[in-house]
Amino acid sequence: MNIAQIQEILPHRYPFLLVDRVVELEEGVRIKAYKNVTMNEAFFQGHFPGHPVMPGVLIIEAMAQAVALLAARTNDIEMAGKVIYLAGLDGVRFRRPVVPGDRLDLEGTVVKRKGPLWKLQGIASVDGERVAEAELMATLANR
């Protein structure tokens, strides 16, 4: 899934769209996507001058956007007039900083689904090394 296809699904736009490409998607099961992290990101101006580090909350947001794409591309979901919201987080862990030049690989796996509620496992990694993980809860709601 390229950026144009991603933008058809996610309402996010610059500077808050944090998924550049989806490389694997198994409907209702799992997704693999990535975000190219560059020095041009607006958040690096203040986080931190002279030592740029991607904010942890944005790593989690990138995972949330990836799993929202997974939910939206699940064939029994009707997305017209709907939006997917992050509803909760558990077990959030940060392992190492993400810096300019990194490719942030995002993986999401469905743990459980009941109606409009989803429980998913998210993993973010750089060069095969886990940088963050979280259990995400999402819900489908009217726009």
Side-chain angles (χ1 to χ4, degrees), residues 25 43 48 67 72 77-78 81 83 93 95 104 107 120 123:
L25 190 143
F43 51 79
F48 299 101
V67 299
I77 299 290
E78 175 53 53
V83 66
R93 298 287 180 267
R95 307 288 180 195
L104 185 64
E107 296 180 47
L120 307 112
I123 297 170

Side-chain angles (χ1 to χ4, degrees), residues 86-119:
L86 181 62
L89 296 166
D90 285 320
V92 177
R93 298 287 180 267
F94 299 103
R95 307 288 180 195
R96 80 157 183 84
V98 176
V99 299
D102 285 346
R103 183 175 114 161
L104 185 64
D105 293 313
L106 307 162
E107 296 180 47
T109 307
V110 174
V111 174
K112 185 178 179 180
R113 178 179 166 208
K114 186 171 184 175
L117 300 174
W118 297 70
K119 186 177 194 179

